[in-house]
Every structure is written in C-alpha cells, then in structure tokens.
Amino acid sequence: MHLTVNGKSHQLDADPQMPLLWALRDVLNVKGPKYGCGVAACGACTVLIDGEPMRSCSVPLEDVQGEIITVEGLADTDGTLSQVQEAWMDLQVPQCGYCQSGQILAATALLKENPSPSSEDIDDAMSNICRCGTYPQIRNAIETIAAHNQKQEG
Amino acid sequence: MSKTGKITRRTLLGAAVLTTGAVAFGVYAYRKPHENPLAASDGDKQRSFTPYILVDAENTITIIAPRAEMGQGIHTTLAALVAEELNIPLAQAKVIHGPEGAAYYNRTMMEDGAPFAFFDKGLLPELARDTFGVAAKFLGIQGTGGSTSTIDAYDKMRRAGAAARIAFVAAAAQKWQVGPETLQCQNAQVSNPKTGKTLRFADLLQDAAAVELPESPRLKSPEEWTQLGKPQQRKDLREKVTGAPIYGIDIDLPDMLYGTVVLAPHLGGELVSADKAAALAVKGVKKVVAIKSSFGHGFGIIADNTWAAFQGAEALAPEWQPTSAAADTLALRNAHSDALKTDATFSMGNEGDAAAVLASIPSGELVSADYEVPYQAHFAMEPMNATAQLIGTKLTLWTGTQSPTLAKYACAGALGIENDDITVHTTLMGGGFGRRIDNDPALYAALLAVHTDGRPIKVTWTREEDSAHDYYRPMARARYQAHLSQSGKIHAISADIASQSVIGSFMARNFPSLASGGPERVVLDGSFDQPLSAENKAFNAHIVPTTVPAGFWRSVGYSFNAFFQQSFIDELAHAAGKDPLAFRLAHLTAPEHAPAVHLLKKLQEISAWDKPRPAGTGLGVALTASFGSWVAQTIEVTHEDGEIKLQNIWCVADLGIVLDPRMVRQQLSSAIIFGLGQAMEQDLTFSDGQINETNFDSFTPPQLYQVPPIHIELLANSPTMGGAGEPGVPPVAPALANAIYAATGDRHRSLPLGRHVAFS
Ligand code: FES
Ligand code: FES
C-alpha cells in the first residue's frame, strides 16, 4: 500500500481495512490526527485528502486516493505557521487542544474554498466537536482571517 | 456569624470519613515528611530550589506545575506565580508537570470538603477546614479537582519563586562581598548596578543551592505584579496548533505494544461466554488476558497496533450474566422518587424550623415543585488511555491523570508492589472534567504490562468503552417547598434531594479496604451553601442506594442543585408576582452576600434586563456561589416557529483575585458551553445495566452553530480567591430553563431541556 502524507511518500504493509487514522498514528507515527469516536461523529481525526476535509477514522486504507495533509503538514518546512495556525495562536484558541488539529484543518479547508465566509458558512462548515467549548474562539479566529482576506481583496 | 445554623453531630461525621483515611495512611506519611521530589536529580548540572524550580548549567529555568493540564491553562498560570516572584519573564521558563510527590499535595481540595458555604468564615467552618487541611497533609495526595489549583498554589508557588530569587541574590552578594539589598535580580541573572557585574543563575548554581531557603519570604503586593493579573500566552500553544504528540494517547516508545480493554458492564455479573479464539485469529492480536480489579473486570487485548486490538475486542464479544441490580432508567427514576418518601439521610445548613413552619400552613398556600436530572457522562475528547511498562517490580506509567498519587495506589495494590517502585509520567490531557481523577486506565495498562515481558504497552479504550465505563454524574431528583410571606418574601423553604453518594462510590473503588459513609456535602452542594436569606431553611439529603458508578463531573453536585434551586427561586418570584432578578436581590441581605448583589446589578445592566423585549423573546437569570467564586448569568432566547433559539449569554463572575483574566474568561466560556450540554441535549439512559448513549452520535454535546455570543464581565468584590474551572457550569441550565419560561410560559423541570423543546 502506498500513501502520500504531507508531501512524503510511504510504502506500508497494513490491513487494507485499517482506517487511515490508525495507519497514520500507529504505523506512520503521524500523531496529529486524533481518535475521538471512530464513527465519523466528532471530527478529531480530520485530515485533508486532496484538500477535502475527511474523517480519517472512517476511511479504510484501501479507499484512500489522493494526497493526505495532516496538521503536521500545514507549517512551512522552516517552521512558519499557516495563516490559520497563526490566528489560532494569536487568539489563543486551544484549551486542551485535543480537537484542534481537526478544527484547524476544517477551517483551513473552509477558508481555501471561501476566503471570507459568513457566519452561516462558518456554522455549516465547522461541525467538529470541542468538549472544551472553544467555539467562540474558533469563530473569532476564522472571522479575523475572513476580515483580513476581505481587506486584501478590497 | 455562622450562616449554616445547627451543625449536628452527624454532619461533622463527614469529616470523619476523611480523617479515617488520614489514620490509614498517616503513619506512612508521617514517617516520611514531604521531601523535595526533585532533590534526587540534584548535581553539578542541575539544582532544584524548592519542589517547584529547577535551574541547570545552561541557565534554563524549569518550573514544576504539579497539576493536571487538561485545557484550563493551569500550567501557564501556576508557572506565572513562580515567574512573577523569581523576576523572570514567563516566556523564559520551561514548564513541566514534574514527578508525583506528596510535596505537591492539594490542601485546598480537601479543605473544601468541610460542609459549609465558602463565604461562611465563622469559627466552626474555619475549624473544620483546618481539620480537613491537616488530613490532606497526612494523606499527601497530589490531585487536581474542585477548581482548587490556583487557590492552593497561590502562596506556595509565589513563595517558591521568591525564596529561590533570594537564594541567588544571597549567593551573588557573598561572592561579591556586598549587601544583597544593593543587587538586582532579573531574567535569571543577578547584577550589581554599581559595578555593572552580572552573574547568571547558572553561574551561582552550587552557591545558591547551599543557601538555606527562607520559609516566608516577603511577597510582592498585587500592585507590584508585572505578569500576574495580566493575560499570559499559554505555554502549550505551539504544540497544540502543530499537532505535537503531547497527550497520553500519543505516547510512542521503542518496542511498544498496543492494547485495549473490553469490560463487563458495570453492573454485570459473571462471564457467560467469550470467543477467545476469534480474538486471537485477528491479524496482529497477540494475547487476550483477564482483568479483575475494584474498578471493573473483563479482558485486555494485547496487539501490534490499536486497530488490531479494537478488532480483537470486537471478535471476543464477551457476554456477561445480567444481575438483579442491573440499572434501568425507569427503575432508577422510581428509586429516586421512593427515596424522597423516606426520612432524610442527613441535613445541612438548616436555619429556623422549615419543616414545622411548612407543616403548619395549608398546602394550598405553599409553592412546591419537583425537579429531575439524568446521569451525565464526561466524554472527554481524548478517550481513556495509559501506557505501562513493568520490569521486575518496577512499574513506569505514562498517563493523563488528575491524580498521579491515586494512580500509584491503584497499581501498587493490584500488582503487589510498593508505591516507591512506581514512576508516573503525567502527560497533558485531552480534557478531564473530573473523569481522570480515577485511575482505572493506568491500572488496566499495568495489569496488561504483566503479560508483555517487559515491553511497554499503550492501552487505548474505544470511545464506547470510555462512555460505558465512566464514573457518572449521578441522576438526582428534588422536591422544593416554600411559603411566601405577605410581602412576597421567602418565609420558609425546604429542599429534599435524592441522589446517590459520589464519595461512597469513589471510595469503594479507590480504597476498597476502607469503610466510608456518613454525610457528604456533594449531594447538597448548590443547595444549603447558597446565598439566600430566609428565616426558615432546610436542606435534606436522601441517599439512594444504587450500584451505578458515580464520579466527579465538572461542578458535581452544583451541576444539578443549581438547576433545582435557581429554577425554584424563579417559580417563587413569579408566584410572588415579582421580577425574578429583583426577587433574588431581595433575598441577598447578609453582609457576606455583597458580591452577589454586585453581580446581579451588573448583569441587569449589561443584559439590559429591564428593557422590554418583544413577545417570544425571554430572558432568564440564575446565580450560584461555588468553588469560592460567584457567578451569575442571563440567557436570552427567542421562540419562533416552535423552535427555541439561544441569542445571547451574559455572565458576570467574581473570583476575588484574578491571576490571568483571559484564561479565566476562557474557562468561564468553556464552562458555560459545558453547562449548555447538560441543559440542551445530553441525555444518558440505562437499559439492562448498560448505557444507551455510547458515542457522539447519541450523546450530543453542543456544536459551534448552537452557541450564541457569550459576554463575560469580571468583578472583584469577593474578599477571597475563588476557582475558575467549574463555577461557570451551574447557572447555565436554570438560566436557560428560566429563559424558556419567560419566552413561552412553559416551565420545564427536568433536563435535558431538549426533551421538552426543539432547539434550532
Ligand atoms: S474519530 Fe473520526 S470523527 Fe471522531
Ligand atoms: S480544545 Fe479541548 S476538545 Fe477542543
């Protein structure tokens, strides 16, 4: 089996039924994607596959097609954080942080598709659960980026 | 004057439970005074100054923040206490949880067990707190809970920073043969402004280590603070936005095995069948072993990776004999109703004679109402897990725990080894909310490590195991009764609360050999200890005997009693024909209630309480005093097309001293959303001894779209420092229920409110 994760290609020998999440975590030691529910209900395991946010706990390895980006792959190689990660730092979004790699990837995908999402767009796109209740901070971070993007365009 | 009124002998027995503990562990703790757990690593390269500070030869300052970091930002705030007095910028310090040690015992957590309102500073309450504090010292339990971390650390950790600073200055003074008062200490170096000479802490390491540390150094007054009282950047932010492997579930060790557990339903009986062969046939599964403990019993699966272990558990498909005690929600509800028909088990905070007064008044003139809440599970985002390695009799644990001390107790007992044979690495936690004060994850990992020939094993629970083997916030039922005077004031009020014993359940699994019992304040927390002026008051607990495992859930008893009492106060206000906020103010007449008066007035202003709102819009208010802090909230809802929509939440809180205003606001906001969970949709029901809501598809915490703007204001009129993590939870459910009443005219007396209304 062959996987491209954060620009690196990997050959792995694993059960084709194994969910992508566990292949990433236990086989490839990519620990950013988190296990929260295993049934596509929480979003902690979110990764981008060809830019689309996917819940990796519910994608068997054999169905994976495309390039995988995890939270580890968002910063530049020199450590410069992505715009979303920066906003997450500035507004101090994370509490326990466990859901945040999924939240950051969901927000990244949203902003890529829609650089200045409305409040309703944010409501619709951000369905990952955060038990710490960081939703107001998440919303604030996305809105801050959206406002910035709008200014850039305008 | 004490506002708790008559203290019966039985009430004080609550203290006795814990003192029994002190006797049991006391001899051990007494013979070994709390030593500095860092001293063992003292040497040329590194020195410890108090149990909280490490300085190395590279001038790296490491601060020990010995409390569970599960999202509250506690590592950052505790480190700031030290940094402030050490006179270094927090950014310069590294922060770690550090080793387990009795030196890190939590005195405040135990003191809060004394059965009094926190704002009651009378002689008896203070005496009781002292007794509990002494017990805490003996027990030496390092633990995080009860919103106590900052309160407990406030003096200890500032003193540590100051003492270390004084030692470095003294060492430099001696070296330079000048008076210490002529020197300056900043950024981990001591300088002499006269000569321009500077020495780093690292250069003074051994000399400073030889200085005897002052026990009560002078501390800065809050006016002198440069870091405390101001927002600090969290120390763990970068890791948390880059996906660094910082949680227990991320542990990766050479040669590590993976595992999971599949346990009997809590109330289940003996094993009927299990397909071991099928489990072993799963590719990657190596062993299936039996688990037996005071926490639970069942099987552990040892495998090559987590997924294989999960599949092995599924293939094993054990069946368990049901027992007569198997929990069932209907039966449990009946048991709670029945308990209310029997005599109270104990009472707290009684004043006057509410029972006699209420009995003397025709029932038609009384206001009464029954309320109910279901069980709640924690559903911390990171499912339970722990990693263990056993080499000979030496056990090493890596686990996200709220009490590394109790992790040691649990494992030492089960493996027949000494506490000192165990090393605990406490990791960051993906949430805790009280669940991680119990250490069954570490215990099961240790029991599996017995079978791995010295290889480390990481044991990760499935979400379904996590929820099915939680220690639940208990179900509770209340009957409130009151009589209003002519002037519309509460003349007499009584509360009868039926629920199970959280402490009893906790003690039985954590200290199975210790008898426990007697009154405990948890079941009445949020009732007897609230600011409420009335001549006749009675708060009676009716303990329900059930075997459902109960535990500590963010704000515990307050999470249901606030709903009961603050809903009932609202009902009384309406019965008296008064405005609910004004009615509350009219019952805050004692001098020690002053902070609450300020809160309500502020809330009235910022939520524009008195502004007429259109039909279909409702505003509800609630006030609670818990964990040393005062919190009042209003929630605004609209009722449109048969749906309830939350529009705004206003929250005013008084924690006395605020160490980091941004962190405190975030904790309040987090607590409000946690509170919305139980208020809106989260239900937990039992059938045949098992819970029905085992995953996020049926146990449904709020999502982003459901959370309205939250407006928070902090006041500082409270004379003492309060906690931050929990006090925001209790007022949420009653404020929402009261708002729905204001908007619709329908009074809902049970949670979750999603059973009664549709939320949009
Ligand atoms: S773990 Fe994949 S959605 Fe929850
Ligand atoms: S930050 Fe803890 S679950 Fe989201």
Side-chain angles (χ1 to χ4, degrees):
Chain A
M1 194 125 351
H2 183 260
L3 284 185
T4 309
V5 183
N6 300 327
K8 270 225 281 247
S9 85
H10 301 268
Q11 202 58 44
L12 67 168
D13 167 35
D15 182 345
Q17 291 294 313
M18 183 189 279
L20 173 60
L21 172 66
W22 293 112
L24 289 169
R25 290 184 55 83
D26 286 1
V27 184
L28 299 178
N29 199 19
V30 176
K31 297 288 204 288
K34 298 294 190 236
Y35 169 65
C37 71
V39 296
C42 77
C45 63
T46 302
V47 301
L48 302 181
I49 303 183
D50 282 344
E52 280 291 312
M54 302 288 280
R55 296 187 167 182
S56 65
C57 69
S58 301
V59 183
L61 271 181
E62 61 187 0
D63 290 353
V64 178
Q65 270 179 14
E67 289 205 17
I68 298 155
I69 301 285
T70 70
V71 72
E72 288 95 334
L74 291 180
D76 283 350
T77 41
D78 67 355
T80 309
L81 298 179
S82 74
Q83 187 187 30
V84 175
Q85 287 172 309
E86 278 292 348
W88 248 243
M89 292 267 297
D90 285 351
L91 296 165
Q92 191 149 296
V93 174
Q95 288 191 17
C96 86
Y98 194 78
C99 73
Q100 298 298 343
S101 53
Q103 306 281 8
I104 286 170
L105 288 163
T108 301
L110 165 67
L111 287 159
K112 181 114 205 246
E113 194 180 289
N114 181 355
S116 45
S118 67
S119 190
E120 290 71 41
D121 295 335
I122 298 173
D123 281 351
D124 291 345
M126 299 301 292
S127 59
N128 289 6
I129 290 172
C130 174
R131 278 299 272 153
C132 298
T134 63
Y135 302 130
Q137 290 79 26
I138 290 175
R139 186 188 290 283
N140 191 2
I142 297 175
E143 281 172 350
T144 304
I145 298 172
H148 174 86
N149 289 347
Q150 218 156 25
K151 235 200 247 148
Q152 296 276 305
E153 272 171 35
Chain B
M1 188 193 85
S2 163
K3 282 286 153 204
T4 45
K6 237 183 10 207
I7 305 295
T8 64
R9 215 177 70 81
R10 293 205 63 191
T11 311
L12 277 179
L13 277 176
V17 179
L18 290 157
T19 348
T20 321
V23 171
F25 299 106
V27 184
Y28 175 77
Y30 193 64
R31 263 205 244 113
K32 291 186 93 184
H34 301 169
E35 51 191 41
N36 181 351
L38 306 178
S41 63
D42 280 345
D44 295 348
K45 297 241 148 55
Q46 174 178 293
R47 278 283 179 177
S48 64
F49 296 83
T50 77
Y52 299 100
I53 302 162
L54 279 172
V55 182
D56 73 9
E58 265 74 65
N59 215 34
T60 306
I61 316 292
T62 304
I63 299 174
I64 313 302
R67 293 290 175 261
E69 177 55 85
M70 39 194 173
Q72 336 85 299
I74 199 63
H75 278 188
T76 307
T77 302
L78 294 188
L81 291 169
V82 173
E84 179 69 56
E85 291 291 344
L86 196 54
N87 260 355
I88 61 166
L90 182 57
Q92 192 178 349
K94 248 179 72 179
V95 184
I96 59 169
H97 177 282
E100 186 274 342
Y104 305 121
Y105 81 99
N106 188 334
R107 186 184 181 102
T108 310
M109 191 157 74
M110 218 67 122
E111 285 173 343
D112 284 356
F116 303 92
F118 73 76
F119 47 85
D120 186 349
K121 305 291 181 200
L123 192 62
L124 187 58
E126 292 292 77
L127 209 73
R129 285 182 194 115
D130 257 8
T131 309
F132 277 63
V134 169
K137 172 95 200 272
F138 270 103
L139 286 164
I141 293 179
Q142 183 179 1
T144 305
S147 298
T148 56
S149 296
T150 52
I151 306 165
D152 187 69
Y154 185 52
D155 283 339
K156 282 194 244 187
M157 291 187 73
R158 284 187 304 149
R159 273 193 213 125
R165 187 196 70 236
I166 289 167
F168 282 108
V169 171
Q174 205 176 26
K175 216 167 210 167
W176 290 329
Q177 291 296 307
V178 294
E181 69 288 345
T182 64
L183 302 179
Q184 287 176 352
C185 180
Q186 234 151 22
N187 303 336
Q189 52 188 31
V190 185
S191 54
N192 185 338
K194 277 220 186 90
T195 62
K197 277 194 195 153
T198 300
L199 283 169
R200 302 175 310 153
F201 283 4
D203 307 323
L204 295 161
L205 210 48
Q206 304 307 329
D207 297 332
V211 175
E212 194 175 331
L213 298 179
E215 255 175 57
S216 329
R218 190 194 86 85
L219 299 176
K220 294 180 186 174
S221 70
E223 295 74 46
E224 297 171 85
W225 287 346
T226 59
Q227 302 184 83
L228 292 177
K230 301 177 179 60
Q232 303 300 323
Q233 191 182 61
R234 289 182 70 116
K235 297 297 281 182
D236 49 15
L237 267 188
R238 186 160 177 112
E239 286 87 346
K240 287 179 175 176
V241 303
T242 54
I246 51 178
Y247 305 98
I249 206 169
D250 298 332
I251 291 293
D252 188 40
L253 299 165
D255 219 18
M256 187 175 80
L257 288 164
Y258 298 77
T260 195
V261 289
V262 46
L263 304 164
H266 274 300
L267 312 167
E270 291 310 303
L271 183 71
V272 176
S273 69
D275 197 344
K276 252 185 155 173
L280 288 166
V282 171
K283 188 173 168 245
V285 172
K286 294 177 125 49
K287 274 186 193 169
V288 176
V289 302
I291 289 175
K292 234 182 165 62
S293 78
S294 58
F295 288 83
H297 65 290
F299 294 95
I301 315 284
I302 299 171
D304 281 339
N305 61 70
T306 311
W307 170 241
F310 283 5
Q311 281 195 304
E314 215 178 298
L316 186 68
E319 270 192 51
W320 308 93
Q321 210 159 42
T323 69
S324 54
D328 165 272
T329 290
L330 192 62
L332 285 162
R333 292 186 62 194
N334 289 337
H336 284 70
S337 300
D338 291 347
L340 287 179
K341 293 179 194 135
T342 61
D343 285 347
T345 323
F346 55 87
S347 307
M348 286 180 185
N350 291 4
E351 287 181 43
D353 195 344
V357 172
L358 293 170
S360 71
I361 289 164
S363 60
E365 291 169 33
L366 299 178
V367 184
S368 51
D370 283 15
Y371 304 90
E372 194 187 68
V373 298
Y375 285 92
Q376 284 290 325
H378 294 83
F379 274 73
M381 209 69 218
E382 177 193 10
M384 295 302 109
N385 65 83
T387 303
Q389 182 170 29
L390 182 68
I391 297 176
T393 59
K394 301 282 181 211
L395 177 72
T396 310
L397 296 169
W398 293 260
T399 186
T401 174
Q402 288 178 241
S403 179
T405 310
L406 293 183
K408 280 190 175 185
Y409 284 165
C411 295
L415 266 54
I417 58 177
E418 299 297 322
N419 284 338
D420 289 347
D421 286 333
I422 305 175
T423 306
V424 188
H425 300 283
T426 303
T427 62
L428 298 193
M429 279 148 252
F433 313 123
R435 171 61 179 91
R436 288 184 152 97
I437 195 93
D438 278 286
N439 287 280
D440 37 343
L443 169 63
Y444 298 153
L447 290 174
L448 292 197
V450 170
H451 302 276
T452 59
D453 302 317
R455 292 173 69 178
I457 178 163
K458 174 165 70 182
V459 180
T460 306
W461 300 22
T462 61
R463 170 59 65 191
E464 289 82 1
E465 281 295 311
D466 174 295
S467 57
H469 300 284
D470 198 351
Y471 301 108
Y472 307 102
R473 195 291 305 277
M475 167 184 273
R477 192 175 172 86
R479 172 159 303 155
Y480 263 91
Q481 263 200 335
H483 179 248
L484 292 164
S485 68
Q486 290 283 312
S487 60
K489 286 271 207 54
I490 300 172
H491 169 218
I493 183 168
S494 78
D496 286 89
I497 317 291
S499 193
Q500 69 188 91
S501 162
V502 171
I503 302 278
S505 183
F506 177 81
M507 293 293 281
R509 58 183 181 266
N510 278 278
F511 305 101
S513 58
L514 282 184
S516 83
E520 65 176 53
R521 61 172 291 167
V522 172
V523 61
L524 293 176
D525 273 348
S527 64
F528 77 103
D529 59 349
Q530 294 304 294
L532 181 70
S533 309
E535 216 176 300
N536 300 287
K537 304 198 279 189
F539 303 95
N540 309 312
H542 301 253
I543 297 297
V544 181
T546 139
T547 50
V548 177
F552 303 97
W553 186 89
R554 202 171 186 175
S555 82
V556 208
Y558 293 96
S559 69
F560 51 80
N561 274 312
F563 171 65
F564 302 153
Q565 191 171 92
Q566 287 294 304
S567 295
F568 188 63
I569 298 292
D570 224 64
E571 299 206 47
L572 289 179
H574 290 289
K578 308 265 186 203
D579 171 81
L581 197 144
F583 185 78
R584 283 175 172 79
L585 281 171
H587 290 87
L588 295 170
T589 56
E592 61 266 33
H593 296 161
V597 173
H598 289 290
L599 287 192
L600 287 179
K601 291 193 167 154
K602 186 76 188 170
L603 202 52
Q604 186 170 19
E605 173 200 324
I606 63 171
S607 65
W609 176 267
D610 298 314
K611 189 186 88 184
R613 283 170 159 83
T617 300
L619 209 50
V621 62
L623 161 76
T624 359
S626 64
F627 307 97
S629 297
W630 306 80
V631 183
Q633 294 165 2
T634 48
I635 298 185
E636 182 184 47
V637 302
T638 49
H639 182 223
E640 234 179 285
D641 303 328
E643 289 190 337
I644 297 288
K645 188 168 170 57
L646 278 65
Q647 298 292 351
N648 282 290
I649 299 177
W650 290 272
C651 171
V652 188
D654 191 337
L655 288 74
I657 300 164
V658 168
L659 297 177
D660 185 326
R662 175 161 67 168
M663 217 79 93
V664 164
R665 282 164 191 279
Q666 290 195 344
Q667 275 309 289
L668 287 166
S669 164
S670 163
I672 287 168
I673 295 167
F674 196 85
L676 284 178
Q678 73 151 348
M680 292 170 74
E681 304 289 356
Q682 283 166 211
D683 203 348
L684 201 86
T685 59
F686 286 85
S687 312
D688 299 330
Q690 310 194 35
I691 62 158
N692 296 309
E693 297 79 7
T694 59
N695 210 327
F696 281 115
D697 45 5
S698 45
F699 185 87
T700 48
Q703 291 193 26
L704 180 135
Y705 78 92
Q706 290 166 307
V707 176
I710 298 173
H711 319 273
I712 296 170
E713 292 256 3
L714 301 177
L715 300 182
N717 300 301
S718 180
T720 49
M721 185 174 179
E726 294 165 277
V729 176
V732 180
L736 183 57
N738 295 341
I740 292 172
Y741 176 78
T744 65
D746 296 328
R747 175 64 63 181
H748 302 296
R749 299 191 180 92
S750 68
L751 299 180
L753 297 164
R755 280 187 201 160
H756 314 289
V757 301
F759 288 104
S760 66

